[in-house]
Every structure is written in C-alpha cells, then in structure tokens.
Amino acid sequence: MPTHEFILALDQGTTSSRAIVFDRSGAVRGTGQREFRQYYPQPGWVEHDAGEIWRTQIEVAREALRNAGASAADVAAIGITNQRETTLIWERATGRPLARALVWQDRRTAPICEQLRQDGHADWLQERTGLVVDAYFSGTKLCWLLDNVPGARQAAERGELAFGTIDTWLVWHLTGGKVHSTDATNAARTMLYDLHSHDWNDDILALLRIPRSLLPQVAPSSGEVGRTLPELLGGAIPIAGVAGDQHAATFGQACFTPGMAKNTYGTGCFMLMNVGDQPVASSNNLLSTLGWMLPSPSGPRTTYMLEGGIFVAGAAVQWLRDGLGIIPRSADVEALATQVEDTDDVFLVPAFAGLGAPHWDPYARGAMIGLTRGTTRAHIARATLESIALQSAELLACMNADSGIDLSELRVDGGATRNDLLMQMQADLLGVPVVRPRVAESTALGAAGLAGLAVGFWQSLDEFAAQWRADRRFEPAWPADRREARLKRWRQAVEHAKGWARQD
C-alpha cells in the first residue's frame, strides 16, 4: 500500500521552474530547478515561452522525485505556486499558445491603463477588485493579446481559446486539458475578479471586451481540482493546492493571525499583511487582495491581505552582475558592499520596469544619484542592496497606516534573505526585528501546506504552523532620527526617477 509520505510542490517562478518534495515535518527531501529564457522584444516588454515553462516544470518535478527517492505512490498531493499576473492564451483543441506569455513585469499596456484612468474607471475598478489600475495586472494584458494577436479576438468569441495565468497553464497540462481552473488568489490578481462577490465581474469584462468563455473556473486555494495524467509522473496524483507565489509564501510563513506580515525577496519584493476576514481598503496606494480561500463545512473561508509590490529587488543585483559586470555572481554582492561603511550618499532607484506601490508610475525609470569621483563599485553595490530595504520600509509605513497595526516583527523569505547585510539593513530601516525562518522555501512550503491540508496530510492550520522555526532574528540598531533621515533622502531620489519615459 502507498504510504503517502510526501507532498510535491511545483514552484513556477519568474526566472526558473522549481520543484520541492516535503515530508510531514516540513523538511525538504528532494529538489529540482531549471532556469528558462527571458525575452525583451522592446523596451518595457517582457515575455516568456509558455511551452518552455511547461517543459522545465515537468522536468524538475521528475528530478525532485528522483532526488527524494520517491515515486508517485509516495506522494499524497501536489501543490502549485506560480509567478502571478503573467498572462497567456491558448487553443482549447490543441493546447498551443497563440503568443508568448506577457510577464507581470511587462509594461506595454500602460497606455490602456492611462486611458482607463482618464475615462474615470479607476475608483470603481479598485472598489471591486482591490487593485489599482496598472499594467502589472492580467486584465489589460489579456485585452492587449486579444487586440494584437492576429485572429485572437475572433477565436475567443467563438469559444475556441482559453486564458490563464501560469497556475492555470500548468493544471491544464498536468490534467491533459481536462481541467481549466485557477484559484481565488490568482483570480484576484487579474483585475477581472470581484473581491466581494467572489466571481468574475461582468462589468469589467464588458469594459475590457473580454469574452467570459475565455476564463477558467475559480476554485479555493486548498482542495482537489484534478489529477495528473499517470504517464507524466508515474501515477495519478491529486492536485490539491494552488496559490500565487506571494500568497503561498505568506501561508508558508504561518501568518495566520491578523497583523502578521512577511516580505519575500526575489526578482521583485512583495510584502503582505494579514488583515483578517474582511478586505481593508488602502488609503496609501497599497493593494487589497485575497490571501487564501480555504474550504469549510459552512462554505469557503477567505483571509484578506494588504500588499505592496516592488518590481525590482533581486533583479537589481542581477543587473550588477549581467548589465554592469561588477560582480561575477549575485552572491558576491554582499562581500563587495561590506568593503564600505555606507553608500557615501549614493542612491540607486531601480525603476527598470516602472515603480510599483506606493507610487504606481509605469513611466519611472532607473536612476543613480549622488555619484562623485570617489564613488566605487562597493558604493554602488551597497546602494543596490539598500534600495531593496528602502523600498520595503516605504511599504511597511503605508501598511501600518492602512491597517492601524504597528508591526512587531517581519518574517522574511526568498533567495536574498541569505544576505545578512541586507537583512540587517532592513531591520535598521524598519525599526522592527526581521526574522528569517529555518526553512527558507516558504513559497513552496505554503503550496505544500495548502495541498496537504486538503488531503489530510496535515490535519489543521495549527499542526502546519507548529513546524515554523526561526533561524535568525536581526534586531534594529539605528535610532529613529537616523532612519527617518535616510528615508527622507530616499524619497528625494525617487522623485528624480518618476515620469522619465513619458513622451508628452
């Protein structure tokens, strides 16, 4: 008889596809990872090959099982977590994408968003979706694809096409095209989903001229949506948990009580705070979003979040490596930055893809200011790390104001949390402790948790949360006046980056 000792988490990110096998203690037992190509056909455009995403994801799933010494019979369920907002359309009959996927970072629909704002739609769209009108979200990307891919709109109106974010694309292929679904967290990031009615909003679909037949069914974040084709992984495994990457990371960090928050440091940087069972409207340009939706005997239970997103965080370090060539590996940035005690008043505003919360300026572009003949590679490296911490500090101040809660600690995850200098910078600029967990794979662990709860692998949220352990706490060392002075100087630098790409 199968023992179902493991959960397999598929973690489909912006630059790589990963898979991780977890055991009941939440420990990692096997992993696999593949990077895939990024396409930049025009300034501000970012695309992915959806076929390559599927191929790399199934390859790493098999690799992770091999590395864990596990077969399909040992796996209780699969959890999926994914880069959010990335948008694609494909033929229902063949599964063939009509174009490359438009990545969440892609800014080509900024003019559509500007027109929506000028036409007076921004406020009611935010009231219904919790989102500001921005090219970040899937709705205008889908509109663009229908208008610009030859024959797409006509095929969509005939019911021949399917739309999905990356979770939907993976579920479609894992089930051999039998299941066209998304979960509530991913749906809530499209700017097409009503946070209050928990359904696609027909008024928004009409505004953007999107046929409802394109859209997937919306399911809770925890619960079986289908089973894998046996030939893919050696058996039919339940797909029982799906959540966007930031929601999954918040779940994996066991932020189950209102007022708890986490920040994920990846390609971008995303801070989410649990605000309870009712959405909180932001007065500071943050997003009101769905944290997760869990089944219960009385109907789905929804937890809501406030969120602030930074478009460029770890990607700024990659730019130092690939664009400027001042470090051979991303991991080398910490050693270089520690060669100087401060940035010597140099600031990097990494608005390479515009600015996210709380500024929401798609026309902002990267700026480095304060350079002198004394500026060195080390100053630039330190300014790059500090830019990540400064952007996050700005978000937390907005969250405290919106929620009425002063955060007592920030739980952190993502690859950049291995950088002790960055984590200490973050604590100093926030004025609260920064806590790094023992299991760094919070995003994948959250997807595993959602799947495991659905199939009884873990019996309760409390049992799952009991696995969480701190690895290290970074205590703030700066006095309040120093922190405020640095943030004031940062805001000055940001103003220089705003609006740079606007052509009028």
Side-chain angles (χ1 to χ4, degrees):
M1 293 289 292
T3 54
H4 295 328
E5 297 175 355
F6 305 119
I7 298 285
L8 172 62
L10 307 184
D11 183 356
Q12 204 300 299
T14 306
T15 58
S16 70
S17 296
R18 307 171 69 234
I20 301 179
V21 176
F22 291 97
D23 64 18
R24 291 182 190 275
S25 71
V28 174
R29 299 295 293 271
T31 66
Q33 182 168 359
R34 299 269 194 290
E35 290 191 358
F36 53 86
R37 186 175 173 183
Q38 312 290 305
Y39 295 87
Y40 307 101
Q42 293 186 35
W45 292 27
V46 189
E47 299 176 350
H48 288 160
D49 180 335
E52 186 180 10
I53 285 177
W54 164 243
R55 289 191 298 274
T56 54
Q57 190 63 74
I58 196 63
E59 287 169 3
V60 296
R62 293 165 179 155
E63 180 182 347
L65 289 173
R66 285 196 303 271
N67 290 339
S71 69
D74 300 314
V75 178
I78 288 174
I80 296 174
T81 183
N82 56 286
Q83 53 165 315
R84 302 174 302 171
E85 297 96 17
T86 295
T87 301
L88 66 152
I89 51 176
W90 64 92
E91 293 175 341
R92 290 184 179 275
T94 66
R96 181 184 69 87
L98 267 67
R100 291 189 193 128
L102 305 192
V103 180
W104 58 272
Q105 299 160 313
D106 190 286
R107 310 305 295 169
R108 76 186 67 183
T109 64
I112 300 175
C113 295
E114 186 158 336
Q115 190 63 54
L116 288 170
R117 288 189 291 270
Q118 289 177 1
D119 292 345
H121 298 302
D123 287 346
W124 73 266
L125 283 168
Q126 185 166 9
E127 287 169 8
R128 286 160 176 77
T129 67
L131 309 178
V132 300
V133 174
D134 191 80
Y136 180 22
F137 304 110
S138 311
T140 59
K141 297 181 193 299
L142 176 54
C143 181
W144 189 95
L145 286 169
L146 293 176
D147 285 340
N148 289 274
V149 175
R153 183 167 293 284
Q154 294 84 349
E157 289 170 353
R158 292 192 299 266
E160 297 170 0
L161 301 184
F163 151 76
T165 45
I166 297 300
D167 60 305
T168 303
W169 175 246
L170 294 179
V171 169
W172 176 278
H173 279 281
L174 287 166
T175 62
K178 294 184 179 69
V179 178
H180 184 213
S181 77
T182 189
D183 94 293
T185 69
N186 280 291
R189 309 298 297 188
T190 60
M191 212 172 76
L192 305 174
Y193 181 81
D194 194 310
L195 269 190
H196 309 283
S197 67
H198 295 299
D199 194 7
W200 304 115
N201 185 287
D202 288 322
D203 292 335
I204 302 174
L205 296 181
L207 178 67
L208 296 177
R209 298 175 299 117
I210 293 171
R212 194 179 179 104
S213 62
L214 269 174
L215 304 179
Q217 292 292 315
V218 181
S221 312
S222 181
E224 183 176 332
V225 296
R227 293 187 173 232
T228 62
L229 293 176
E231 59 267 29
L232 291 174
L233 296 169
I237 305 173
I239 303 165
V242 180
D245 51 9
Q246 304 313 318
H247 315 263
T250 312
F251 198 88
Q253 288 273 32
C255 292
F256 299 146
T257 303
M260 296 183 74
K262 72 88 202 177
N263 201 17
T264 295
Y265 299 76
T267 304
C269 210
F270 298 90
M271 187 181 293
L272 276 76
M273 176 186 279
N274 185 329
V275 296
D277 60 4
Q278 296 295 322
V280 170
S282 173
S283 301
N284 293 280
N285 286 327
L286 299 181
L287 306 177
S288 180
T289 197
L290 198 151
W292 45 77
M293 184 184 286
L294 303 181
S296 77
S298 58
R301 291 183 295 115
T302 303
T303 297
Y304 294 91
M305 303 279 161
L306 281 171
E307 176 177 340
I310 296 164
F311 294 154
V312 175
V317 176
Q318 293 171 339
W319 173 70
L320 295 183
R321 180 193 69 192
D322 302 333
L324 297 188
I326 68 172
I327 50 173
R329 299 175 306 135
S330 294
D332 296 325
V333 67
E334 183 175 9
L336 179 58
T338 54
Q339 292 178 13
V340 290
E341 292 185 1
D342 56 43
T343 69
D344 197 25
D345 206 35
V346 171
F347 286 85
L348 171 68
V349 183
F352 304 139
L355 286 170
H359 306 285
W360 296 108
D361 184 351
Y363 300 105
R365 289 296 179 265
M368 197 181 301
I369 196 164
L371 300 174
T372 69
R373 283 292 300 273
T375 301
T376 67
R377 294 162 56 247
H379 291 113
I380 293 172
R382 194 174 186 101
T384 301
L385 291 180
E386 193 180 57
S387 75
I388 301 171
L390 283 161
Q391 291 177 96
S392 298
E394 202 169 27
L395 291 182
L396 184 63
C398 294
M399 262 178 207
N400 287 341
D402 280 337
S403 67
I405 302 169
D406 287 329
L407 194 69
S408 59
E409 69 176 27
L410 181 69
R411 295 185 174 186
V412 297
D413 53 69
T417 60
R418 293 189 291 269
N419 188 313
D420 289 350
L421 175 61
L422 172 59
M423 294 298 98
Q424 187 58 52
M425 285 178 172
Q426 191 67 87
D428 291 340
L429 285 163
L430 290 177
V432 299
V434 167
V435 187
R436 184 171 61 198
R438 192 173 298 172
V439 176
E441 307 293 351
S442 297
T443 305
L445 181 59
L450 289 165
L453 286 167
V455 297
F457 191 81
W458 291 292
Q459 296 298 318
S460 66
L461 286 177
D462 288 342
E463 181 185 348
F464 180 72
Q467 302 172 108
W468 191 91
R469 296 285 188 279
D471 169 57
R472 179 172 172 183
R473 290 175 65 89
F474 295 85
E475 298 289 343
W478 284 11
D481 57 348
R482 182 180 179 185
R483 184 166 64 250
E484 288 306 315
R486 198 65 180 156
L487 287 165
K488 181 179 179 181
R489 194 72 165 143
W490 162 254
R491 288 190 285 270
Q492 288 179 279
V494 169
E495 289 304 312
H496 288 285
K498 286 185 174 179
W500 185 260
R502 189 183 294 275
Q503 297 301 311
D504 51 41

